[in-house]
Amino acid sequence: MWQKNKFSDYPFSIKGRFSRLSYLAWAGLLSLVTLIVVMINTLLVSRNISAEAILDQPPSLSYLFWPSWIVLIISFYLSNVFMIRRLHDLNRTGWLALIVYLPVIGFLFWLYLVVAHGSTERNRYGRPRDASVWEGIFGLVWGGLLLGALLFFGVYAVLNPGIQHFDILSVFLKK
């Protein structure tokens, strides 16, 4: 029979704590699953319907994308749960997760969540949660990929300051 403490630290519950690696692992896994489902749904829809049909009657085709919408809504909810658990590890209230939705400040706040060291002792949200082996490995890999992407795009933006905004409307009007 299952013991009650087996479910006391269920990862999809807002109760409990997430270390940095656990947070990166679960957020990375959620991102990959969401990306794969949306890509498969889009490929299946676009394979069976021509681009002209999509452009001519977009409202009638919106029902074909319902799997993507369901996964995106679930992903939005779970990403908030993971942020709240990470904030609990920092001994902060989960309401601070709303900061992530502010432009610029939200990105800096997200970086804080990824980098800050959680409390090592028991806090008002419980004992520290040890990351499992898969969380540690996947969290390190995902964190490395995120760091690499941030560095790449940061260097690219600095080295290419003259990139102009691409105005797609003017391209179509010229034709």
Side-chain angles (χ1 to χ4, degrees):
M1 188 87 198
W2 291 98
Q3 296 175 350
K4 186 176 181 181
N5 63 359
K6 294 258 185 199
F7 294 104
S8 64
D9 198 25
Y10 188 61
F12 304 123
S13 168
I14 61 171
K15 296 181 181 191
R17 297 168 56 176
F18 262 175
S19 66
R20 289 177 285 191
L21 288 178
S22 295
Y23 175 69
L24 283 171
W26 283 99
L29 182 63
L30 179 65
S31 299
L32 286 177
V33 168
T34 303
L35 180 68
I36 289 169
V37 169
V38 169
M39 285 177 56
I40 289 172
N41 185 225
T42 304
L43 287 173
L44 289 174
V45 169
S46 65
R47 186 173 176 205
N48 295 323
I49 298 173
S50 67
E52 292 80 20
I54 292 174
L55 292 174
D56 289 342
Q57 299 178 358
S60 64
L61 299 175
S62 62
Y63 69 93
L64 296 174
F65 291 100
W66 67 265
S68 294
W69 281 110
I70 290 172
V71 169
L72 288 170
I73 290 168
I74 293 169
S75 178
F76 176 75
Y77 170 75
L78 289 177
S79 65
N80 285 306
V81 167
F82 299 157
M83 276 190 286
I84 290 169
R85 289 181 64 109
R86 180 68 188 120
L87 284 163
H88 287 175
D89 192 51
L90 299 168
N91 206 20
R92 307 272 187 248
T93 179
W95 286 104
L96 289 174
L98 295 173
I99 294 174
V100 84
Y101 297 106
L102 299 174
V104 181
I105 295 169
F107 176 73
L108 296 174
F109 181 72
W110 177 81
L111 283 177
Y112 166 72
L113 290 178
V114 171
V115 183
H117 185 64
S119 58
T120 57
E121 302 295 323
R122 181 178 182 86
N123 64 21
R124 62 183 168 169
Y125 299 104
R127 292 178 294 129
R129 179 183 184 273
D130 294 325
S132 63
V133 174
W134 82 266
E135 288 175 341
I137 293 169
F138 195 75
L140 285 172
V141 169
W142 190 255
L145 289 171
L146 287 175
L147 180 63
L150 284 173
L151 288 173
F152 173 78
F153 288 113
V155 168
Y156 184 79
V158 168
L159 295 178
N160 294 305
I163 296 176
Q164 300 294 320
H165 174 69
F166 183 69
D167 187 9
I168 194 145
L169 184 60
S170 66
V171 172
F172 282 112
L173 292 177
K174 287 181 184 178
K175 291 183 178 186

